[in-house]
Amino acid sequence: VATIVASERGVSRVHTRVSGWLERVDVLETGRTVARGQTLAAIYSPEVNAAMVDHLNAVKWGKEEEKRGFTTEARRHGETHWKPDLARATRKRLTLLGVSQNEITASEKSGEPTRLTALRAPAGGTITRKGAVLGLYVQPGTELFEIVDLTTVWAIAEVLETDVLPAGSFATTP
């Protein structure tokens, strides 16, 4: 008797970093194969939205400061201005909240905060557990998906001691 199980090295759990509501679920059932970086769901989070507005304001203020001549070169000569540094800090905050660089850049180009934040697969594999349901309110740490890489599996077998051959011996049939 044997049981086939996935290698422990190939297990990934997908959690949200922010609270909000699942407004889109792209992977609807277990058993689906997903690629690393693939969008699994999208969350509306007031926290991410507020951080995005802060970032867009910081970028706008930084551009206004550059127009007035406060460049990186001016800062090297002892002038200190906080707005360009603020834009970097707000971008970092968005990244830590789980917003991708592409989403941040798209928002900067449009000048509008993105409404939804994509939840992406951290690794490729098969969805073996799904807790994501459309409209679900999620909090940080809520497990939404389990992804398992099934390219390597283990066979856990029950073998009687008498059936185990000593090393170097060969089974013979009478």
Side-chain angles (χ1 to χ4, degrees), residues 14-16 21-28 32 34 37-44 98 103 116-122 127 130-136 138 144-145 147:
V14 181
H15 297 81
T16 177
W21 292 265
L22 287 179
E23 289 205 2
R24 194 179 78 229
V25 178
D26 297 336
V27 177
L28 300 175
R32 288 263 313 265
V34 295
Q38 181 178 333
T39 301
L40 304 173
I43 300 171
Y44 168 72
E103 289 172 309
L116 301 177
T117 302
L119 184 65
R120 299 185 187 284
I127 301 290
K130 177 182 140 330
V133 178
L134 189 63
L136 179 71
V138 295
L144 298 174
F145 298 93
I147 302 171

PDB file of all heavy atoms in Angstrom, residues 14-16 21-28 32 34 37-44 98 103 116-122 127 130-136 138 144-145 147:
ATOM      1  N   VAL A  14      -0.847  31.136  -0.715  1.00  0.00           N
ATOM      2  CA  VAL A  14      -1.056  32.511  -1.149  1.00  0.00           C
ATOM      3  C   VAL A  14      -1.950  33.206  -0.134  1.00  0.00           C
ATOM      4  O   VAL A  14      -3.092  32.784   0.096  1.00  0.00           O
ATOM      5  CB  VAL A  14      -1.704  32.552  -2.553  1.00  0.00           C
ATOM      6  CG1 VAL A  14      -1.904  33.987  -3.004  1.00  0.00           C
ATOM      7  CG2 VAL A  14      -0.852  31.773  -3.547  1.00  0.00           C
ATOM      8  N   HIS A  15      -1.391  34.253   0.492  1.00  0.00           N
ATOM      9  CA  HIS A  15      -2.115  35.057   1.474  1.00  0.00           C
ATOM     10  C   HIS A  15      -2.224  36.481   0.955  1.00  0.00           C
ATOM     11  O   HIS A  15      -1.442  36.907   0.120  1.00  0.00           O
ATOM     12  CB  HIS A  15      -1.355  35.105   2.805  1.00  0.00           C
ATOM     13  CG  HIS A  15      -1.195  33.780   3.456  1.00  0.00           C
ATOM     14  ND1 HIS A  15      -0.218  32.890   3.085  1.00  0.00           N
ATOM     15  CD2 HIS A  15      -1.868  33.189   4.458  1.00  0.00           C
ATOM     16  CE1 HIS A  15      -0.306  31.803   3.831  1.00  0.00           C
ATOM     17  NE2 HIS A  15      -1.300  31.959   4.669  1.00  0.00           N
ATOM     18  N   THR A  16      -3.148  37.223   1.519  1.00  0.00           N
ATOM     19  CA  THR A  16      -3.235  38.641   1.209  1.00  0.00           C
ATOM     20  C   THR A  16      -2.457  39.415   2.270  1.00  0.00           C
ATOM     21  O   THR A  16      -2.359  38.982   3.407  1.00  0.00           O
ATOM     22  CB  THR A  16      -4.701  39.112   1.145  1.00  0.00           C
ATOM     23  OG1 THR A  16      -4.715  40.509   0.907  1.00  0.00           O
ATOM     24  CG2 THR A  16      -5.444  38.801   2.411  1.00  0.00           C
ATOM     25  N   TRP A  21     -11.826  43.404  -0.083  1.00  0.00           N
ATOM     26  CA  TRP A  21     -12.826  42.494  -0.631  1.00  0.00           C
ATOM     27  C   TRP A  21     -12.330  41.909  -1.953  1.00  0.00           C
ATOM     28  O   TRP A  21     -11.772  42.621  -2.775  1.00  0.00           O
ATOM     29  CB  TRP A  21     -14.130  43.242  -0.875  1.00  0.00           C
ATOM     30  CG  TRP A  21     -14.784  43.657   0.394  1.00  0.00           C
ATOM     31  CD1 TRP A  21     -15.756  42.984   1.079  1.00  0.00           C
ATOM     32  CD2 TRP A  21     -14.515  44.842   1.154  1.00  0.00           C
ATOM     33  NE1 TRP A  21     -16.095  43.673   2.216  1.00  0.00           N
ATOM     34  CE2 TRP A  21     -15.348  44.814   2.291  1.00  0.00           C
ATOM     35  CE3 TRP A  21     -13.641  45.915   1.008  1.00  0.00           C
ATOM     36  CZ2 TRP A  21     -15.342  45.813   3.252  1.00  0.00           C
ATOM     37  CZ3 TRP A  21     -13.631  46.907   1.963  1.00  0.00           C
ATOM     38  CH2 TRP A  21     -14.482  46.855   3.077  1.00  0.00           C
ATOM     39  N   LEU A  22     -12.574  40.620  -2.128  1.00  0.00           N
ATOM     40  CA  LEU A  22     -12.241  39.989  -3.407  1.00  0.00           C
ATOM     41  C   LEU A  22     -13.309  40.396  -4.417  1.00  0.00           C
ATOM     42  O   LEU A  22     -14.470  40.033  -4.279  1.00  0.00           O
ATOM     43  CB  LEU A  22     -12.214  38.469  -3.269  1.00  0.00           C
ATOM     44  CG  LEU A  22     -11.035  37.883  -2.516  1.00  0.00           C
ATOM     45  CD1 LEU A  22     -11.153  36.368  -2.442  1.00  0.00           C
ATOM     46  CD2 LEU A  22      -9.723  38.273  -3.150  1.00  0.00           C
ATOM     47  N   GLU A  23     -12.900  41.165  -5.397  1.00  0.00           N
ATOM     48  CA  GLU A  23     -13.847  41.628  -6.413  1.00  0.00           C
ATOM     49  C   GLU A  23     -13.726  40.844  -7.707  1.00  0.00           C
ATOM     50  O   GLU A  23     -14.568  40.992  -8.588  1.00  0.00           O
ATOM     51  CB  GLU A  23     -13.668  43.125  -6.667  1.00  0.00           C
ATOM     52  CG  GLU A  23     -14.154  43.947  -5.492  1.00  0.00           C
ATOM     53  CD  GLU A  23     -14.554  45.342  -5.881  1.00  0.00           C
ATOM     54  OE1 GLU A  23     -14.500  45.697  -7.078  1.00  0.00           O
ATOM     55  OE2 GLU A  23     -14.931  46.082  -4.967  1.00  0.00           O
ATOM     56  N   ARG A  24     -12.671  40.046  -7.811  1.00  0.00           N
ATOM     57  CA  ARG A  24     -12.517  39.199  -8.986  1.00  0.00           C
ATOM     58  C   ARG A  24     -11.729  37.967  -8.567  1.00  0.00           C
ATOM     59  O   ARG A  24     -10.737  38.068  -7.862  1.00  0.00           O
ATOM     60  CB  ARG A  24     -11.773  39.963 -10.082  1.00  0.00           C
ATOM     61  CG  ARG A  24     -11.859  39.306 -11.446  1.00  0.00           C
ATOM     62  CD  ARG A  24     -11.143  40.089 -12.523  1.00  0.00           C
ATOM     63  NE  ARG A  24      -9.709  39.856 -12.407  1.00  0.00           N
ATOM     64  CZ  ARG A  24      -8.778  40.806 -12.400  1.00  0.00           C
ATOM     65  NH1 ARG A  24      -9.118  42.065 -12.500  1.00  0.00           N
ATOM     66  NH2 ARG A  24      -7.508  40.498 -12.291  1.00  0.00           N
ATOM     67  N   VAL A  25     -12.196  36.799  -8.996  1.00  0.00           N
ATOM     68  CA  VAL A  25     -11.479  35.547  -8.763  1.00  0.00           C
ATOM     69  C   VAL A  25     -11.266  34.923 -10.132  1.00  0.00           C
ATOM     70  O   VAL A  25     -12.223  34.575 -10.822  1.00  0.00           O
ATOM     71  CB  VAL A  25     -12.263  34.596  -7.821  1.00  0.00           C
ATOM     72  CG1 VAL A  25     -11.509  33.290  -7.639  1.00  0.00           C
ATOM     73  CG2 VAL A  25     -12.523  35.257  -6.475  1.00  0.00           C
ATOM     74  N   ASP A  26      -9.996  34.811 -10.533  1.00  0.00           N
ATOM     75  CA  ASP A  26      -9.665  34.302 -11.868  1.00  0.00           C
ATOM     76  C   ASP A  26      -9.510  32.791 -11.907  1.00  0.00           C
ATOM     77  O   ASP A  26      -9.713  32.176 -12.952  1.00  0.00           O
ATOM     78  CB  ASP A  26      -8.386  34.961 -12.384  1.00  0.00           C
ATOM     79  CG  ASP A  26      -8.547  36.469 -12.555  1.00  0.00           C
ATOM     80  OD1 ASP A  26      -9.695  36.929 -12.715  1.00  0.00           O
ATOM     81  OD2 ASP A  26      -7.532  37.183 -12.522  1.00  0.00           O
ATOM     82  N   VAL A  27      -9.117  32.186 -10.795  1.00  0.00           N
ATOM     83  CA  VAL A  27      -8.979  30.733 -10.719  1.00  0.00           C
ATOM     84  C   VAL A  27     -10.183  30.237  -9.931  1.00  0.00           C
ATOM     85  O   VAL A  27     -10.294  30.476  -8.734  1.00  0.00           O
ATOM     86  CB  VAL A  27      -7.653  30.325 -10.047  1.00  0.00           C
ATOM     87  CG1 VAL A  27      -7.566  28.820  -9.919  1.00  0.00           C
ATOM     88  CG2 VAL A  27      -6.477  30.871 -10.837  1.00  0.00           C
ATOM     89  N   LEU A  28     -11.081  29.543 -10.619  1.00  0.00           N
ATOM     90  CA  LEU A  28     -12.370  29.207 -10.025  1.00  0.00           C
ATOM     91  C   LEU A  28     -12.454  27.827  -9.398  1.00  0.00           C
ATOM     92  O   LEU A  28     -13.404  27.537  -8.693  1.00  0.00           O
ATOM     93  CB  LEU A  28     -13.472  29.359 -11.087  1.00  0.00           C
ATOM     94  CG  LEU A  28     -13.596  30.765 -11.670  1.00  0.00           C
ATOM     95  CD1 LEU A  28     -14.621  30.788 -12.792  1.00  0.00           C
ATOM     96  CD2 LEU A  28     -13.935  31.772 -10.589  1.00  0.00           C
ATOM     97  N   ARG A  32      -6.560  23.366 -11.210  1.00  0.00           N
ATOM     98  CA  ARG A  32      -6.048  24.190 -12.307  1.00  0.00           C
ATOM     99  C   ARG A  32      -4.551  24.368 -12.173  1.00  0.00           C
ATOM    100  O   ARG A  32      -4.029  24.556 -11.083  1.00  0.00           O
ATOM    101  CB  ARG A  32      -6.689  25.579 -12.295  1.00  0.00           C
ATOM    102  CG  ARG A  32      -8.122  25.659 -12.721  1.00  0.00           C
ATOM    103  CD  ARG A  32      -8.378  26.061 -14.161  1.00  0.00           C
ATOM    104  NE  ARG A  32      -7.696  27.180 -14.695  1.00  0.00           N
ATOM    105  CZ  ARG A  32      -8.173  28.417 -14.748  1.00  0.00           C
ATOM    106  NH1 ARG A  32      -9.350  28.701 -14.259  1.00  0.00           N
ATOM    107  NH2 ARG A  32      -7.464  29.371 -15.304  1.00  0.00           N
ATOM    108  N   VAL A  34      -1.348  26.728 -12.717  1.00  0.00           N
ATOM    109  CA  VAL A  34      -1.076  28.153 -12.846  1.00  0.00           C
ATOM    110  C   VAL A  34       0.425  28.366 -13.011  1.00  0.00           C
ATOM    111  O   VAL A  34       1.231  27.546 -12.586  1.00  0.00           O
ATOM    112  CB  VAL A  34      -1.591  28.951 -11.623  1.00  0.00           C
ATOM    113  CG1 VAL A  34      -3.112  28.872 -11.531  1.00  0.00           C
ATOM    114  CG2 VAL A  34      -0.953  28.474 -10.327  1.00  0.00           C
ATOM    115  N   GLY A  37       3.498  34.195 -11.283  1.00  0.00           N
ATOM    116  CA  GLY A  37       3.139  35.553 -11.681  1.00  0.00           C
ATOM    117  C   GLY A  37       1.744  35.696 -12.249  1.00  0.00           C
ATOM    118  O   GLY A  37       1.272  36.808 -12.473  1.00  0.00           O
ATOM    119  N   GLN A  38       1.067  34.587 -12.478  1.00  0.00           N
ATOM    120  CA  GLN A  38      -0.289  34.628 -13.023  1.00  0.00           C
ATOM    121  C   GLN A  38      -1.243  35.238 -11.998  1.00  0.00           C
ATOM    122  O   GLN A  38      -1.157  34.967 -10.806  1.00  0.00           O
ATOM    123  CB  GLN A  38      -0.750  33.221 -13.383  1.00  0.00           C
ATOM    124  CG  GLN A  38      -2.141  33.152 -13.971  1.00  0.00           C
ATOM    125  CD  GLN A  38      -2.526  31.726 -14.355  1.00  0.00           C
ATOM    126  OE1 GLN A  38      -1.678  30.900 -14.657  1.00  0.00           O
ATOM    127  NE2 GLN A  38      -3.811  31.449 -14.336  1.00  0.00           N
ATOM    128  N   THR A  39      -2.183  36.063 -12.470  1.00  0.00           N
ATOM    129  CA  THR A  39      -3.169  36.663 -11.574  1.00  0.00           C
ATOM    130  C   THR A  39      -4.174  35.608 -11.136  1.00  0.00           C
ATOM    131  O   THR A  39      -4.767  34.921 -11.959  1.00  0.00           O
ATOM    132  CB  THR A  39      -3.897  37.833 -12.270  1.00  0.00           C
ATOM    133  OG1 THR A  39      -2.938  38.803 -12.664  1.00  0.00           O
ATOM    134  CG2 THR A  39      -4.904  38.479 -11.341  1.00  0.00           C
ATOM    135  N   LEU A  40      -4.340  35.477  -9.813  1.00  0.00           N
ATOM    136  CA  LEU A  40      -5.280  34.519  -9.247  1.00  0.00           C
ATOM    137  C   LEU A  40      -6.594  35.178  -8.861  1.00  0.00           C
ATOM    138  O   LEU A  40      -7.662  34.589  -8.978  1.00  0.00           O
ATOM    139  CB  LEU A  40      -4.671  33.855  -8.008  1.00  0.00           C
ATOM    140  CG  LEU A  40      -3.316  33.166  -8.202  1.00  0.00           C
ATOM    141  CD1 LEU A  40      -2.767  32.705  -6.865  1.00  0.00           C
ATOM    142  CD2 LEU A  40      -3.446  32.015  -9.170  1.00  0.00           C
ATOM    143  N   ALA A  41      -6.498  36.417  -8.376  1.00  0.00           N
ATOM    144  CA  ALA A  41      -7.676  37.151  -7.921  1.00  0.00           C
ATOM    145  C   ALA A  41      -7.309  38.630  -7.862  1.00  0.00           C
ATOM    146  O   ALA A  41      -6.142  39.002  -8.030  1.00  0.00           O
ATOM    147  CB  ALA A  41      -8.116  36.650  -6.543  1.00  0.00           C
ATOM    148  N   ALA A  42      -8.299  39.482  -7.617  1.00  0.00           N
ATOM    149  CA  ALA A  42      -8.056  40.916  -7.465  1.00  0.00           C
ATOM    150  C   ALA A  42      -8.830  41.409  -6.249  1.00  0.00           C
ATOM    151  O   ALA A  42      -9.985  41.031  -6.028  1.00  0.00           O
ATOM    152  CB  ALA A  42      -8.480  41.667  -8.716  1.00  0.00           C
ATOM    153  N   ILE A  43      -8.156  42.236  -5.456  1.00  0.00           N
ATOM    154  CA  ILE A  43      -8.707  42.721  -4.190  1.00  0.00           C
ATOM    155  C   ILE A  43      -8.921  44.225  -4.266  1.00  0.00           C
ATOM    156  O   ILE A  43      -8.054  44.964  -4.751  1.00  0.00           O
ATOM    157  CB  ILE A  43      -7.722  42.420  -3.036  1.00  0.00           C
ATOM    158  CG1 ILE A  43      -7.485  40.924  -2.915  1.00  0.00           C
ATOM    159  CG2 ILE A  43      -8.201  43.012  -1.722  1.00  0.00           C
ATOM    160  CD1 ILE A  43      -6.382  40.558  -1.953  1.00  0.00           C
ATOM    161  N   TYR A  44     -10.067  44.690  -3.759  1.00  0.00           N
ATOM    162  CA  TYR A  44     -10.247  46.127  -3.525  1.00  0.00           C
ATOM    163  C   TYR A  44      -9.905  46.363  -2.063  1.00  0.00           C
ATOM    164  O   TYR A  44     -10.517  45.785  -1.166  1.00  0.00           O
ATOM    165  CB  TYR A  44     -11.670  46.607  -3.802  1.00  0.00           C
ATOM    166  CG  TYR A  44     -11.847  48.015  -3.264  1.00  0.00           C
ATOM    167  CD1 TYR A  44     -11.232  49.084  -3.899  1.00  0.00           C
ATOM    168  CD2 TYR A  44     -12.551  48.254  -2.101  1.00  0.00           C
ATOM    169  CE1 TYR A  44     -11.327  50.358  -3.388  1.00  0.00           C
ATOM    170  CE2 TYR A  44     -12.655  49.525  -1.585  1.00  0.00           C
ATOM    171  CZ  TYR A  44     -12.045  50.576  -2.224  1.00  0.00           C
ATOM    172  OH  TYR A  44     -12.131  51.839  -1.701  1.00  0.00           O
ATOM    173  N   GLY A  98       1.995  44.705  -1.534  1.00  0.00           N
ATOM    174  CA  GLY A  98       1.721  43.692  -2.548  1.00  0.00           C
ATOM    175  C   GLY A  98       1.351  44.229  -3.919  1.00  0.00           C
ATOM    176  O   GLY A  98       0.935  43.468  -4.787  1.00  0.00           O
ATOM    177  N   GLU A 103       1.812  47.744 -11.864  1.00  0.00           N
ATOM    178  CA  GLU A 103       0.593  48.440 -11.441  1.00  0.00           C
ATOM    179  C   GLU A 103       0.910  49.860 -10.967  1.00  0.00           C
ATOM    180  O   GLU A 103       0.164  50.798 -11.249  1.00  0.00           O
ATOM    181  CB  GLU A 103      -0.111  47.666 -10.332  1.00  0.00           C
ATOM    182  CG  GLU A 103      -0.760  46.373 -10.805  1.00  0.00           C
ATOM    183  CD  GLU A 103      -1.287  45.518  -9.660  1.00  0.00           C
ATOM    184  OE1 GLU A 103      -0.530  45.257  -8.698  1.00  0.00           O
ATOM    185  OE2 GLU A 103      -2.461  45.122  -9.735  1.00  0.00           O
ATOM    186  N   LEU A 116      -8.247  48.014  -8.221  1.00  0.00           N
ATOM    187  CA  LEU A 116      -8.029  46.658  -7.731  1.00  0.00           C
ATOM    188  C   LEU A 116      -6.543  46.322  -7.724  1.00  0.00           C
ATOM    189  O   LEU A 116      -5.801  46.767  -8.591  1.00  0.00           O
ATOM    190  CB  LEU A 116      -8.771  45.650  -8.606  1.00  0.00           C
ATOM    191  CG  LEU A 116     -10.283  45.807  -8.708  1.00  0.00           C
ATOM    192  CD1 LEU A 116     -10.856  44.776  -9.675  1.00  0.00           C
ATOM    193  CD2 LEU A 116     -10.940  45.692  -7.349  1.00  0.00           C
ATOM    194  N   THR A 117      -6.148  45.517  -6.765  1.00  0.00           N
ATOM    195  CA  THR A 117      -4.779  45.034  -6.671  1.00  0.00           C
ATOM    196  C   THR A 117      -4.771  43.554  -7.004  1.00  0.00           C
ATOM    197  O   THR A 117      -5.530  42.775  -6.417  1.00  0.00           O
ATOM    198  CB  THR A 117      -4.218  45.240  -5.253  1.00  0.00           C
ATOM    199  OG1 THR A 117      -4.293  46.632  -4.937  1.00  0.00           O
ATOM    200  CG2 THR A 117      -2.782  44.775  -5.158  1.00  0.00           C
ATOM    201  N   ALA A 118      -3.943  43.171  -7.961  1.00  0.00           N
ATOM    202  CA  ALA A 118      -3.871  41.770  -8.387  1.00  0.00           C
ATOM    203  C   ALA A 118      -3.149  40.937  -7.336  1.00  0.00           C
ATOM    204  O   ALA A 118      -2.151  41.365  -6.765  1.00  0.00           O
ATOM    205  CB  ALA A 118      -3.164  41.670  -9.728  1.00  0.00           C
ATOM    206  N   LEU A 119      -3.663  39.756  -7.107  1.00  0.00           N
ATOM    207  CA  LEU A 119      -3.020  38.769  -6.244  1.00  0.00           C
ATOM    208  C   LEU A 119      -2.432  37.731  -7.184  1.00  0.00           C
ATOM    209  O   LEU A 119      -3.167  37.059  -7.912  1.00  0.00           O
ATOM    210  CB  LEU A 119      -4.046  38.148  -5.303  1.00  0.00           C
ATOM    211  CG  LEU A 119      -3.527  37.170  -4.274  1.00  0.00           C
ATOM    212  CD1 LEU A 119      -2.612  37.887  -3.284  1.00  0.00           C
ATOM    213  CD2 LEU A 119      -4.673  36.541  -3.525  1.00  0.00           C
ATOM    214  N   ARG A 120      -1.101  37.603  -7.203  1.00  0.00           N
ATOM    215  CA  ARG A 120      -0.421  36.774  -8.184  1.00  0.00           C
ATOM    216  C   ARG A 120       0.169  35.513  -7.556  1.00  0.00           C
ATOM    217  O   ARG A 120       0.483  35.486  -6.373  1.00  0.00           O
ATOM    218  CB  ARG A 120       0.689  37.571  -8.855  1.00  0.00           C
ATOM    219  CG  ARG A 120       0.149  38.783  -9.582  1.00  0.00           C
ATOM    220  CD  ARG A 120       1.225  39.510 -10.349  1.00  0.00           C
ATOM    221  NE  ARG A 120       0.735  40.756 -10.903  1.00  0.00           N
ATOM    222  CZ  ARG A 120      -0.043  40.860 -11.967  1.00  0.00           C
ATOM    223  NH1 ARG A 120      -0.423  39.796 -12.609  1.00  0.00           N
ATOM    224  NH2 ARG A 120      -0.443  42.032 -12.394  1.00  0.00           N
ATOM    225  N   ALA A 121       0.318  34.498  -8.381  1.00  0.00           N
ATOM    226  CA  ALA A 121       0.899  33.229  -7.930  1.00  0.00           C
ATOM    227  C   ALA A 121       2.387  33.410  -7.672  1.00  0.00           C
ATOM    228  O   ALA A 121       3.112  33.849  -8.559  1.00  0.00           O
ATOM    229  CB  ALA A 121       0.672  32.149  -8.982  1.00  0.00           C
ATOM    230  N   PRO A 122       2.872  33.059  -6.471  1.00  0.00           N
ATOM    231  CA  PRO A 122       4.298  33.184  -6.185  1.00  0.00           C
ATOM    232  C   PRO A 122       5.136  32.090  -6.843  1.00  0.00           C
ATOM    233  O   PRO A 122       6.348  32.215  -6.940  1.00  0.00           O
ATOM    234  CB  PRO A 122       4.363  33.069  -4.660  1.00  0.00           C
ATOM    235  CG  PRO A 122       3.165  32.260  -4.296  1.00  0.00           C
ATOM    236  CD  PRO A 122       2.109  32.604  -5.307  1.00  0.00           C
ATOM    237  N   ILE A 127      -3.326  24.238  -8.320  1.00  0.00           N
ATOM    238  CA  ILE A 127      -4.126  24.722  -7.182  1.00  0.00           C
ATOM    239  C   ILE A 127      -4.723  23.498  -6.488  1.00  0.00           C
ATOM    240  O   ILE A 127      -5.492  22.751  -7.091  1.00  0.00           O
ATOM    241  CB  ILE A 127      -5.262  25.664  -7.650  1.00  0.00           C
ATOM    242  CG1 ILE A 127      -4.709  26.871  -8.403  1.00  0.00           C
ATOM    243  CG2 ILE A 127      -6.139  26.082  -6.474  1.00  0.00           C
ATOM    244  CD1 ILE A 127      -3.958  27.861  -7.565  1.00  0.00           C
ATOM    245  N   LYS A 130      -8.466  26.038  -2.371  1.00  0.00           N
ATOM    246  CA  LYS A 130      -8.928  27.365  -2.765  1.00  0.00           C
ATOM    247  C   LYS A 130      -9.925  27.869  -1.728  1.00  0.00           C
ATOM    248  O   LYS A 130     -10.942  27.245  -1.483  1.00  0.00           O
ATOM    249  CB  LYS A 130      -9.575  27.303  -4.143  1.00  0.00           C
ATOM    250  CG  LYS A 130     -10.150  28.603  -4.641  1.00  0.00           C
ATOM    251  CD  LYS A 130     -10.794  28.380  -5.977  1.00  0.00           C
ATOM    252  CE  LYS A 130     -12.067  29.071  -6.244  1.00  0.00           C
ATOM    253  NZ  LYS A 130     -13.005  29.406  -5.289  1.00  0.00           N
ATOM    254  N   GLY A 131      -9.595  29.001  -1.122  1.00  0.00           N
ATOM    255  CA  GLY A 131     -10.505  29.627  -0.171  1.00  0.00           C
ATOM    256  C   GLY A 131     -11.059  30.930  -0.712  1.00  0.00           C
ATOM    257  O   GLY A 131     -11.851  31.598  -0.052  1.00  0.00           O
ATOM    258  N   ALA A 132     -10.627  31.315  -1.914  1.00  0.00           N
ATOM    259  CA  ALA A 132     -11.050  32.579  -2.514  1.00  0.00           C
ATOM    260  C   ALA A 132     -12.453  32.445  -3.104  1.00  0.00           C
ATOM    261  O   ALA A 132     -12.700  31.577  -3.931  1.00  0.00           O
ATOM    262  CB  ALA A 132     -10.071  32.991  -3.600  1.00  0.00           C
ATOM    263  N   VAL A 133     -13.342  33.318  -2.650  1.00  0.00           N
ATOM    264  CA  VAL A 133     -14.716  33.347  -3.139  1.00  0.00           C
ATOM    265  C   VAL A 133     -15.050  34.802  -3.450  1.00  0.00           C
ATOM    266  O   VAL A 133     -14.722  35.699  -2.658  1.00  0.00           O
ATOM    267  CB  VAL A 133     -15.695  32.795  -2.072  1.00  0.00           C
ATOM    268  CG1 VAL A 133     -17.124  32.860  -2.561  1.00  0.00           C
ATOM    269  CG2 VAL A 133     -15.320  31.382  -1.679  1.00  0.00           C
ATOM    270  N   LEU A 134     -15.691  35.036  -4.562  1.00  0.00           N
ATOM    271  CA  LEU A 134     -16.061  36.386  -4.968  1.00  0.00           C
ATOM    272  C   LEU A 134     -16.834  37.087  -3.854  1.00  0.00           C
ATOM    273  O   LEU A 134     -17.772  36.532  -3.285  1.00  0.00           O
ATOM    274  CB  LEU A 134     -16.905  36.325  -6.241  1.00  0.00           C
ATOM    275  CG  LEU A 134     -17.203  37.655  -6.916  1.00  0.00           C
ATOM    276  CD1 LEU A 134     -15.916  38.307  -7.395  1.00  0.00           C
ATOM    277  CD2 LEU A 134     -18.149  37.458  -8.083  1.00  0.00           C
ATOM    278  N   GLY A 135     -16.408  38.308  -3.520  1.00  0.00           N
ATOM    279  CA  GLY A 135     -17.080  39.096  -2.494  1.00  0.00           C
ATOM    280  C   GLY A 135     -16.576  38.850  -1.080  1.00  0.00           C
ATOM    281  O   GLY A 135     -16.977  39.547  -0.151  1.00  0.00           O
ATOM    282  N   LEU A 136     -15.689  37.887  -0.899  1.00  0.00           N
ATOM    283  CA  LEU A 136     -15.175  37.547   0.424  1.00  0.00           C
ATOM    284  C   LEU A 136     -14.374  38.713   0.994  1.00  0.00           C
ATOM    285  O   LEU A 136     -13.561  39.317   0.305  1.00  0.00           O
ATOM    286  CB  LEU A 136     -14.272  36.315   0.318  1.00  0.00           C
ATOM    287  CG  LEU A 136     -13.612  35.825   1.605  1.00  0.00           C
ATOM    288  CD1 LEU A 136     -14.663  35.205   2.525  1.00  0.00           C
ATOM    289  CD2 LEU A 136     -12.532  34.802   1.286  1.00  0.00           C
ATOM    290  N   VAL A 138     -11.392  39.811   3.163  1.00  0.00           N
ATOM    291  CA  VAL A 138     -10.140  39.167   3.578  1.00  0.00           C
ATOM    292  C   VAL A 138      -9.342  40.115   4.459  1.00  0.00           C
ATOM    293  O   VAL A 138      -9.484  41.334   4.375  1.00  0.00           O
ATOM    294  CB  VAL A 138      -9.295  38.738   2.359  1.00  0.00           C
ATOM    295  CG1 VAL A 138     -10.004  37.670   1.555  1.00  0.00           C
ATOM    296  CG2 VAL A 138      -8.954  39.923   1.477  1.00  0.00           C
ATOM    297  N   LEU A 144      -5.738  32.178   0.718  1.00  0.00           N
ATOM    298  CA  LEU A 144      -6.694  32.131  -0.385  1.00  0.00           C
ATOM    299  C   LEU A 144      -6.464  30.960  -1.326  1.00  0.00           C
ATOM    300  O   LEU A 144      -7.414  30.428  -1.889  1.00  0.00           O
ATOM    301  CB  LEU A 144      -6.643  33.451  -1.164  1.00  0.00           C
ATOM    302  CG  LEU A 144      -7.038  34.685  -0.339  1.00  0.00           C
ATOM    303  CD1 LEU A 144      -6.818  35.952  -1.138  1.00  0.00           C
ATOM    304  CD2 LEU A 144      -8.480  34.573   0.107  1.00  0.00           C
ATOM    305  N   PHE A 145      -5.210  30.568  -1.502  1.00  0.00           N
ATOM    306  CA  PHE A 145      -4.888  29.462  -2.399  1.00  0.00           C
ATOM    307  C   PHE A 145      -3.703  28.680  -1.851  1.00  0.00           C
ATOM    308  O   PHE A 145      -2.848  29.241  -1.176  1.00  0.00           O
ATOM    309  CB  PHE A 145      -4.490  29.966  -3.800  1.00  0.00           C
ATOM    310  CG  PHE A 145      -5.564  30.712  -4.530  1.00  0.00           C
ATOM    311  CD1 PHE A 145      -5.650  32.090  -4.447  1.00  0.00           C
ATOM    312  CD2 PHE A 145      -6.484  30.036  -5.309  1.00  0.00           C
ATOM    313  CE1 PHE A 145      -6.628  32.791  -5.123  1.00  0.00           C
ATOM    314  CE2 PHE A 145      -7.470  30.719  -5.990  1.00  0.00           C
ATOM    315  CZ  PHE A 145      -7.552  32.101  -5.890  1.00  0.00           C
ATOM    316  N   ILE A 147      -0.800  26.315  -3.691  1.00  0.00           N
ATOM    317  CA  ILE A 147      -0.264  25.893  -4.985  1.00  0.00           C
ATOM    318  C   ILE A 147       0.805  24.848  -4.722  1.00  0.00           C
ATOM    319  O   ILE A 147       1.697  25.061  -3.895  1.00  0.00           O
ATOM    320  CB  ILE A 147       0.340  27.086  -5.747  1.00  0.00           C
ATOM    321  CG1 ILE A 147      -0.712  28.180  -5.956  1.00  0.00           C
ATOM    322  CG2 ILE A 147       0.927  26.633  -7.083  1.00  0.00           C
ATOM    323  CD1 ILE A 147      -0.149  29.473  -6.494  1.00  0.00           C
TER     324      ILE A 147
END
